Amino acid sequence: MATISDVAARAGVSTATVSRALNGKSSVDPALVQRVVQAARELGYQPNGLARNLRRQETAVIALIISDVENPFFTALARGVEDVAQAVGYSVVLCNADENGEKERRYIDVAVQERVAGVLLSPTSTATDVRALTERGTPVIAVDRPLPHAATDSVLVDTRAAAREATVHLAEQGYTRIGCLTGPSGIPTADERLAGYRDGLRSARLRRDPSLVRRAEFRAAGARAAMTELLAGEGGERPDALLIANNAMAIGALVAISEAGLRPGTDIGVVSFDDAPWAPLIDRPLTVVAQPAYEMGTVAAQLLLARVNDSSRAPTQTTLSARLIPRASSNPTA
C-alpha cells in the first residue's frame, strides 16, 4: 500500500507539501496540488480521511448536486471533482437536480441528514436556499452558477465575456442578423449569456432585434421548437446566425436547421457554448465556446477541502475564462 512518502517522492515534493495539498490548504501552489493529486491517483494512495471525519461527526463524502447529468459539461466537471476527492480519501455522491427546484431541495435535505463533509452545488436558480447546510456548518461551494444570497465560495466562468466574444466573431464573419437561443429567465448562466450577446451586438454596431431572441429549457426539445419558430420568421426576420447557450440546446437547434433544409455556416452561422465530443465530428463542425469544466471541478473540490479544514476564511469567488474555438459552422466561406 502506498504511503505519503511514496506520493511525495513521485511528485517531487516534501511529505508536508503532500499533506497540505491533500487537505486543501490554500498556501500550496495550484500546480503543486495538481502534481500531488496526480501522483496520489497513480499510486492508489488513500489517506485516512474516514477517521478524520468521524472525529467531526461527518462522513468522508462530498455531495455534488448538478442541474443536468446528461450534459457533457457536468460530466467533465464531475470527473474533476472526483479525481481530487478520491486522491484524499473522499467519496463523491452525484445528485441530478434535473433543473427542478424541488428535487434540489430534497437532495440538500439528504446532504444534511447524511452529514456529508461538504456540498458542491450548481443551483437551479438564484433562489436556491442552502441555509439548512450553512446553519449546520456544512461548507457549500457554488459551481457554474452563483448563489447571490448565500455567503459561499464559488467557481464560475466569465460567461458574459465569452458570449460577447462569440457574437463579435459571428459579426466579423459577415453575419448581420444574429440571434440568441438561451435558457430560462432567472438562471444566471442563461441571463449572463444573453447579456453578453447584447454586448457583442453593441460592439459590432448591429441593431438589437428582440424578435431574434428565444428562451427555452436547457434541453434539446425546447431548443428545437424555439429554433423552428426563429427559422419561420415568427415575430420578425429570420436570423442568419445564432449563438446557442449550451450543447444540449445545440442538438435541438441543429435538428431544426436540418429539417429546414439549411446548412450551418453556409446558410446560417452557428456558435454554441460547450465543446461536446460530437461537436467537431458533424458535417460543418461546430464552432464552440469551450468552458474549462474539468478545471472547474478540480478547483471547486480543492476549495471545498480547504473549507472543510478551515471554515474561518472569507468566501471567495474564482472566475475562469472560456475559449472560442472557430470551426466551419461559423464560416460561410469554408
Side-chain angles (χ1 to χ4, degrees), residues 23-25 52-53 56 58-59 61-62 90 116-119 137-141 153 301-313:
N23 281 285
K25 298 298 185 182
R52 180 176 62 243
N53 285 279
R56 298 192 182 110
E58 296 169 347
T59 59
V61 173
I62 293 170
Y90 284 79
V116 299
V119 175
T138 303
V140 179
I141 308 291
D153 296 293
Q302 289 163 9
L303 278 173
L304 186 62
L305 292 172
R307 185 63 67 184
V308 166
N309 285 280
D310 180 8
S311 61
S312 64
R313 298 181 302 110

Side-chain angles (χ1 to χ4, degrees), residues 53-135:
N53 285 279
L54 284 175
R55 289 194 295 271
R56 298 192 182 110
Q57 294 186 320
E58 296 169 347
T59 59
V61 173
I62 293 170
L64 172 60
I65 306 175
I66 58 174
S67 51
D68 185 3
V69 74
E70 294 183 341
N71 188 330
F73 169 82
F74 288 112
T75 304
L77 188 151
R79 181 57 187 266
V81 171
E82 185 182 44
D83 283 352
V84 171
Q86 286 285 320
V88 296
Y90 284 79
S91 298
V92 179
V93 175
L94 181 63
C95 309
N96 177 37
D98 211 25
E99 298 288 6
N100 182 303
E102 181 56 36
K103 284 185 70 175
E104 180 182 69
R105 282 189 292 274
R106 290 202 299 270
Y107 280 129
I108 289 173
D109 288 343
V110 169
V112 171
Q113 294 162 11
E114 296 300 323
R115 294 182 176 274
V116 299
V119 175
L120 296 164
L121 172 67
S122 176
T124 57
S125 77
T126 55
T128 293
D129 188 349
V130 295
R131 284 177 296 177
L133 293 165
T134 56
E135 289 174 358

